[in-house]
Amino acid sequence: MISRKNASISKFIIHKVGNKFNSTKNAFSEKLVEFDEASYELMLPFLLRPFGTVVQSYRFNHHANVNLNEINSYSAQIFNDDDAFIEVSKHIVTHLFEQSTSANIKTGDVLVVMFEGIEFNDITTNALGIFKIENKVNFFQTFLENNSYDVLVQKGISSKKVDKGCLILNQSDTEGNIILSVDNNNYDAQYWINQFLNIKYADDSNNHTQQYIELCKDFSEEILKSTYGAQEKNAFLAKSIDFFKENEVVNVERFKEELFEEDKHKSMFDDYKKTFESEQNLVLRNQFDVSERVVNKEKKKIKTDIKLDTHFSIKVDIDAPDATVDYLERGYDEEKKMHYYKVFFNAEN
């Protein structure tokens, strides 16, 4: 996550990227944008706001040598040479164009931006931003003609959210430059992350925690819910989140001991973990530091509603891991030939 309270835009240019599959070509600007006060005050938060909640970071990747990664090379040129900004920004758009390997990839405006005063982990640095605007929205424009007002429809960029964007910080660790990325049109996520940027998640506690929570979510949905029902799924998720909240370090064996009473359930989890690692092409660590920020963010995304086909829904509090065991009972009514839930409580709120 970044802070933008002291951030500013020092360079800003707009190009257009085409798509080789539908014969649309790139169009390049030759000059930087000079903002008026109103447009600047709207543009700065529009571009940086999405990164205020991004927890996981990336690093540049390449199958042979990371120095051969195109965006890594272009960003280094811009950081090291102020005069290279306009020319290198064109190379960035050309590289994006070359990755349009499908007719489904959209054309759009590409904003290349140099930011100053970006704060990340108590460090202030400059950063290169690359943004692709794929979708324009309709808006009404009123105008005066012959002493009367009329209206017409125009298309423009929505100021609510960017479609795709990355922030390359001029700050590195042992793995290289720190990169943040957002994608609100992730129908072509591989195109942006893997082909254009060619980046991978950082090898840190944020990534380890995220991967393990994803494993737990998938296991609860594909194994526990399908085998034992939604109650068991929700109980497992609540206990998993509680384990992450209560421990600074996750040890996988201790995790299984606390969450599973029966050995067969531990074996089911181990088997699914192997499948998950194979499908995701990764290896989960057996012990890692917990990222509190990731846990808090992912907890908000977890849905623990039990939706029934009789138009009822039971909402289980993710922060109450024992509630589904202590106060919720599932059974089967032989007379009605239907399943039921019995909920225990002291008082209605």
Side-chain angles (χ1 to χ4, degrees):
M1 292 186 285
I2 66 161
S3 171
R4 55 184 171 88
K5 63 180 180 180
N6 296 317
S8 62
I9 296 173
S10 60
K11 293 185 179 70
F12 185 106
I13 196 166
I14 303 173
H15 304 297
K16 289 188 178 291
V17 64
N19 185 313
K20 65 181 78 173
F21 280 82
N22 56 28
S23 300
T24 53
K25 299 184 180 300
N26 298 333
F28 299 111
S29 298
E30 299 298 333
K31 294 182 180 180
L32 301 178
V33 172
E34 295 183 7
F35 289 101
D36 58 37
E37 183 177 356
S39 57
Y40 179 87
E41 292 299 323
L42 190 62
M43 182 63 73
L44 181 62
F46 166 65
L47 296 178
L48 291 181
R49 189 185 302 114
F51 301 104
T53 56
V54 171
V55 175
Q56 286 184 274
S57 62
Y58 295 84
R59 302 297 182 271
F60 284 118
N61 187 39
H62 195 273
H63 69 276
N65 186 327
V66 72
N67 292 322
L68 299 177
N69 180 297
E70 288 86 347
I71 302 302
N72 185 19
S73 175
Y74 293 147
S75 60
Q77 291 178 54
I78 289 176
F79 287 139
N80 295 327
D81 184 358
D82 285 342
D83 296 331
F85 181 81
I86 294 178
E87 196 60 32
V88 174
S89 71
K90 297 178 184 177
H91 297 329
I92 290 172
V93 174
T94 300
H95 175 59
L96 181 61
F97 175 81
E98 291 301 325
Q99 309 316 309
S100 58
T101 54
S102 166
N104 294 326
I105 293 175
K106 297 178 181 179
T107 61
D109 298 336
V110 179
L111 319 180
V112 183
V113 187
M114 179 62 78
F115 297 99
E116 307 290 337
I118 299 291
E119 295 179 23
F120 179 82
N121 288 348
D122 300 322
I123 296 173
T124 301
T125 185
N126 58 338
L128 176 67
I130 305 170
F131 304 87
K132 185 185 179 190
I133 309 299
E134 298 176 325
N135 298 310
K136 300 291 181 70
V137 298
N138 293 327
F139 64 92
F140 292 108
Q141 180 67 270
T142 59
F143 62 97
L144 182 64
E145 186 176 31
N146 298 327
N147 296 321
S148 295
Y149 281 98
D150 206 340
V151 65
L152 58 82
V153 175
Q154 293 182 324
K155 280 186 175 290
I157 299 172
S158 169
S159 61
K160 292 183 178 180
K161 65 179 181 180
V162 298
D163 292 314
K164 287 175 167 57
C166 74
L167 204 59
I168 304 165
L169 305 186
N170 191 13
Q171 181 70 34
S172 61
D173 56 18
T174 56
E175 294 184 81
N177 282 79
I178 298 164
I179 306 159
L180 306 177
S181 180
V182 295
D183 188 351
N184 288 307
N185 291 340
N186 55 13
Y187 65 93
D188 55 357
Q190 300 304 310
Y191 150 75
W192 182 254
I193 293 291
N194 292 342
Q195 294 170 263
F196 171 58
L197 295 174
N198 193 2
I199 54 180
K200 61 181 180 179
Y201 280 122
D203 185 20
D204 60 12
S205 62
N206 291 329
N207 184 36
H208 302 151
T209 305
Q210 177 77 39
Q211 289 175 344
Y212 212 82
I213 291 177
E214 290 297 328
L215 165 66
C216 292
K217 287 162 60 177
D218 288 1
F219 174 76
S220 70
E221 182 68 30
E222 297 183 21
I223 304 299
L224 294 182
K225 183 179 179 180
S226 61
T227 307
Y228 302 107
Q231 183 181 2
E232 288 297 323
K233 167 199 166 182
N234 293 336
F236 172 78
L237 286 175
K239 289 179 180 178
S240 297
I241 292 297
D242 189 61
F243 184 90
F244 280 98
K245 287 163 56 181
E246 295 297 323
N247 293 275
E248 294 183 356
V249 177
V250 165
N251 177 280
V252 173
E253 293 303 318
R254 184 161 167 255
F255 174 84
K256 291 189 295 183
E257 286 295 328
E258 288 202 15
L259 267 75
F260 301 114
E261 295 182 0
E262 299 184 36
D263 288 340
K264 69 174 183 178
H265 294 150
K266 297 175 187 176
S267 298
M268 291 169 66
F269 185 79
D270 286 336
D271 291 342
Y272 188 81
K273 178 172 173 286
K274 292 176 183 177
T275 302
F276 181 85
E277 289 175 319
S278 176
E279 291 177 349
Q280 300 297 322
N281 192 27
L282 54 83
V283 177
L284 296 173
R285 296 199 177 191
N286 290 323
Q287 183 165 304
F288 56 88
D289 294 334
V290 173
S291 168
E292 184 180 355
R293 291 184 298 181
V294 171
V295 174
N296 290 334
K297 185 175 182 179
E298 289 303 308
K299 184 183 75 170
K300 297 175 183 177
K301 298 180 183 178
I302 294 176
K303 298 185 183 301
T304 55
D305 294 14
I306 301 175
K307 296 183 179 180
L308 309 177
D309 59 2
T310 49
H311 309 291
F312 286 95
S313 179
I314 303 171
K315 185 175 179 61
V316 181
D317 191 343
I318 191 68
D319 289 319
D322 296 325
T324 56
V325 177
D326 296 340
Y327 308 122
L328 191 64
E329 182 180 310
R330 191 175 192 268
Y332 186 79
D333 187 295
E334 290 290 348
E335 184 177 338
K336 290 189 174 183
K337 304 298 181 184
M338 296 175 70
H339 298 281
Y340 66 82
Y341 277 106
K342 185 187 291 184
V343 182
F344 297 91
F345 63 95
N346 293 311
E348 295 183 357
N349 292 328

